[in-house]
């Protein structure tokens, strides 16, 4: 099994370029099968979850051709099955977007219950409520979600809670329903807007994405399109916090600074300098950062996907900080790993109370999920000595060339198979 070995203590410096947004790409790839014409999608991140979804789409007969690592052409007309089920597809979350896409187009779909990171219970009742409101019958049987409708008819849907997945899934199905659908209390995340823009580029009629009321006028069919996915807000935020944790100076390029405002505001409060450009942000941290309070919220609030990374930076900032996780109930599992590195964090329910320590020290830790894995790498980069981060396959679900990008910023780290003792020894000798 691959692991990252990191020699900490080096300030990150230089430039890093951010890839396309994983969570937008998952939905956009699913949406692309709704057209019978060729759809070209650019700026797709080359990460594990995306590749699993692409395989699942190919498995149902859709022809996918990869022009380069970040561009795919999707030919939805070749589809020959609406049954999406395989061991790998059960492990990712984004596969549930095929439910909305296939239901919208073929009025029937069967998709394996979604997996994804184990960060708390992740019900899909709001997705089902939306599909049913559009006229579908939805059953869960033998680990599959089965949705079927004679026809889909627009409706007024009020989401009981803000859900990115349910907002997008209902939007997909409603795009090809008869009449108007109104989704109230919808999620406003940048990738919800990106998916709506993509659907509109194929001829859909969606208004209001990015606000809490989305209006969709159903259309009969969708045509081909060429579309480029927005930059990944969470990858960008992760590098911003890695720069802050290591007292670095990093220019994070190919971003939309507006999407990063919640992260920028917290970093500035903690004492870092953040300079915004048209499509880049520069983070400079020359001194020890200070404490703050963070509560994760739906966009434009502080993203839950950045919670482990900011908690890690606060663990080495001065004073006592409080981080409240209000989206997923089980997203503090990595705290035990940080404790092994010397952090002083007490978790009570959905709140972490963090007493900043003067430094972390290297240890062997294990990534419990994608974002927590990235946070442990940040901890390793800032820590004194050598840190080994196991289970890097979680990190590779959502970060492309993570260690390569860190190396380009001057980090001392390597990805080495845990059984390759010679390579591990060599790395340790090299970094001293
Ligand atoms: N929820 C329900 N019922 C539903 C849907 C959601 O109760 O039908 C609850 C969830 O349990 C959670 C909250 O609503 O407490 C928000 O969940 P949401 O539906 O917004 O999340 P998701 O669609 O499951 C996506 C991302 C996550 C990201 C969240 C929040 C994908 C594939 N996943 O998950 O990304 O944390 O939105 O922004 O888009 C990640 O990338 O590491 C990741 C976990």
């Amino acid at each position: 099994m691959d692991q990252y070995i990191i020699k900490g203590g080096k300030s990150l410096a230089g430039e890093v370029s951010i890839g396309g947004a994983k969570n937008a790409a998952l939905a956009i790839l699913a949406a692309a099968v709704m057209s019978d014409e060729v759809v070209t999608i650019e700026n797709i991140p080359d990460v594990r979850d995306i590749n699993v979804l692409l395989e699942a789409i190919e498995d149902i007969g859709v022809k996918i051709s990869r022009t380069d690592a970040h561009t795919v052409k999707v030919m939805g007309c070749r589809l020959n099955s609406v049954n999406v089920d395989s061991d790998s597809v059960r492990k990712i979350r984004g596969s549930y977007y095929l439910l909305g896409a296939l239901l919208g187009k073929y009025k029937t779909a069967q998709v394996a219950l979604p997996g994804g990171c184990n960060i708390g219970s992740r019900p899909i009742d709001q997705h089902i409520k939306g599909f049913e409101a559009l006229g579908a019958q939805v059953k869960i049987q033998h680990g599959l979600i089965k949705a079927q409708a004679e026809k889909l008819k627009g409706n007024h849907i009020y989401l009981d809670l803000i859900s990115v997945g349910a907002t997008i899934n209902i939007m997909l199905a409603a795009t090809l329903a008869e009449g108007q659908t109104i989704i109230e209390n919808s999620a406003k995340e940048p990738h919800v807007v990106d998916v709506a823009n993509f659907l509109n580029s194929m001829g859909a009629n969606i208004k209001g994405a990015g606000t809490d009321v989305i209006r969709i006028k159903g259309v009969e069919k969708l045509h081909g399109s060429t579309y480029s996915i927005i930059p990944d807000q969470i990858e960008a935020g992760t590098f911003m916090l890695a720069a802050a944790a290591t007292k670095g100076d990093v220019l994070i390029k190919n971003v939309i600074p507006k999407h990063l405002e919640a992260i920028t505001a917290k970093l500035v409060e903690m004492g870092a300098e953040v300079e915004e450009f048209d499509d880049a942000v520069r983070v400079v941290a020359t001194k020890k950062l200070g404490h703050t309070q963070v509560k994760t919220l739906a966009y434009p609030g502080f993203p839950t996907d950045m919670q482990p990374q900011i908690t890690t930076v606060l663990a080495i900032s001065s004073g006592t900080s409080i981080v409240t996780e209000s989206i997923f109930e089980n997203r503090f599992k990595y705290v035990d790993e940080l404790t092994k590195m010397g952090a002083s964090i007490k978790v009570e329910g959905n709140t972490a109370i963090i007493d900043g320590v003067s430094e972390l020290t290297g240890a062997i830790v294990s990534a419990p999920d994608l974002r927590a894995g990235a946070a442990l790498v940040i901890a390793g980069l800032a820590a004194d000595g050598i840190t080994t981060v196991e289970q890097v396959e979680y990190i590779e679900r959502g970060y492309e060339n993570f260690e390569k990008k860190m190396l380009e910023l001057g980090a001392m780290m390597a990805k080495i198979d845990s059984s390759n003792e010679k390579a591990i020894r060599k790395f340790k000798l090299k970094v001293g």
Side-chain angles (χ1 to χ4, degrees):
M1 291 293 239
D2 281 338
Q3 53 188 17
Y4 288 142
I5 310 215
I6 305 163
K7 167 85 193 291
K10 182 122 189 280
S11 298
L12 297 184
E15 298 182 358
V16 61
S17 189
I18 298 304
K22 168 190 75 107
N23 291 343
L26 289 166
I28 285 175
L29 284 170
V33 308
M34 294 167 76
S35 169
D36 282 335
E37 295 174 21
V38 177
V39 176
T40 305
I41 308 166
E42 299 164 348
N43 206 29
I44 293 186
D46 188 7
V47 295
R48 194 165 297 183
D49 277 16
I50 295 291
N51 293 328
V52 169
L53 184 69
L54 283 170
E55 270 171 37
I57 293 175
E58 278 186 309
D59 282 350
I60 54 172
V62 173
K63 188 162 185 312
I64 303 274
S65 67
R66 234 182 166 126
T67 327
D68 60 49
H70 301 120
T71 308
V72 298
K73 282 188 192 301
V74 179
M75 278 150 265
C77 61
R78 303 279 191 96
L79 186 133
N80 57 30
S81 163
V82 289
N83 187 356
V84 183
D85 187 15
S86 68
D87 280 349
S88 52
V89 94
R90 285 173 189 273
K91 294 196 184 117
I92 65 166
R93 189 121 204 113
S95 53
Y96 58 20
Y97 291 131
L98 283 169
L99 203 63
L102 296 175
L103 178 66
K105 184 160 182 216
Y106 298 98
K107 316 300 171 222
T108 176
Q110 288 196 25
V111 177
L113 272 167
C117 285
N118 183 5
I119 48 182
S121 87
R122 299 178 77 176
I124 52 160
D125 55 300
Q126 298 303 303
H127 303 235
I128 294 174
K129 171 179 161 171
F131 296 149
E132 287 178 342
L134 297 175
Q137 286 176 330
V138 186
K139 286 190 289 203
I140 297 182
Q141 278 177 333
H142 309 297
L144 292 173
I145 316 163
K146 302 179 177 180
Q148 194 152 17
E150 258 173 41
K151 64 174 182 179
L152 294 178
K153 208 161 173 308
N155 205 342
H156 200 130
I157 299 160
Y158 185 90
L159 294 178
D160 299 336
L161 48 79
I162 300 176
S163 159
V164 173
T167 302
I168 293 178
N169 235 341
I170 298 167
M171 202 161 74
L172 294 174
T175 288
L176 292 175
E178 279 176 23
Q180 177 165 252
T181 297
I182 299 176
I183 310 174
E184 290 210 54
N185 199 27
S186 51
K188 299 186 280 234
E189 267 66 4
H191 42 295
V192 174
V193 180
D194 207 35
V195 178
N197 288 342
F198 169 64
L199 287 165
N200 285 340
S201 80
M202 293 198 295
N205 184 342
I206 302 174
K207 296 207 168 87
T211 75
D212 46 22
V213 183
I214 300 181
R215 291 185 161 75
I216 305 141
K217 282 199 180 129
V219 294
E220 265 178 30
K221 60 179 187 166
L222 297 173
H223 53 71
S225 168
T226 296
Y227 191 82
S228 182
I229 288 171
I230 51 165
D232 197 305
Q233 170 204 17
I234 306 301
E235 188 195 7
T238 301
F239 279 98
M240 290 170 81
L241 288 180
T246 59
K247 297 203 181 78
D249 178 349
V250 177
L251 183 71
I252 297 134
K253 297 194 306 187
N254 185 33
V255 301
I256 299 174
K258 170 107 191 101
H259 295 168
L260 303 170
E261 272 172 1
I263 303 158
T264 299
K266 281 295 150 193
L267 276 173
V268 170
E269 246 177 73
M270 289 158 66
E273 284 168 45
V274 183
E275 205 179 341
E276 287 184 4
F277 303 93
D278 285 349
D279 62 355
V281 290
R282 179 176 171 209
V283 177
V284 184
T286 44
K287 53 181 192 313
K288 194 168 178 70
L289 299 178
H291 58 100
T292 189
Q293 309 216 352
V294 177
K295 183 173 184 184
T296 63
L297 288 169
Y299 189 84
F302 191 89
T304 172
D305 290 346
M306 288 302 302
Q307 179 265 103
Q309 301 90 316
I310 198 152
T311 301
T312 300
V313 180
L314 291 170
I316 44 168
S317 299
S318 58
T320 301
S321 299
I322 295 181
V323 173
T324 306
E325 171 57 62
S326 70
I327 311 289
F328 293 110
E329 77 269 17
N330 198 9
R331 219 171 186 178
F332 282 122
K333 279 188 293 181
Y334 63 92
V335 162
D336 287 346
E337 304 301 292
L338 281 183
T339 304
K340 290 182 195 162
M341 300 177 72
S344 172
I345 305 175
K346 208 161 99 191
V347 177
E348 282 176 8
N350 68 343
T351 301
I353 302 149
I354 305 143
D355 277 322
V357 293
S358 58
E359 67 172 6
L360 295 176
T361 49
I364 299 174
V365 293
S366 179
D369 61 67
L370 164 60
R371 307 302 173 187
L376 291 173
V377 171
I378 293 177
L381 292 171
D384 180 44
I386 301 261
T387 296
T388 301
V389 181
E390 298 174 337
Q391 310 249 61
V392 302
E393 60 274 16
Y394 279 116
I395 301 171
E396 291 174 345
R397 290 179 73 149
Y399 292 91
E400 183 177 343
N401 290 330
F402 197 48
E403 81 280 11
K404 191 163 168 260
K405 288 185 178 183
M406 290 295 183
L407 285 174
E408 281 168 8
L409 294 173
M412 289 185 281
M413 68 185 278
K415 186 167 86 174
I416 304 176
D417 189 285
S418 55
S419 64
N420 192 346
E421 284 170 25
K422 201 171 150 205
I424 296 172
R425 261 200 315 275
K426 201 169 149 203
F427 172 79
K428 288 184 180 168
L429 271 174
K430 188 173 135 203
V431 296

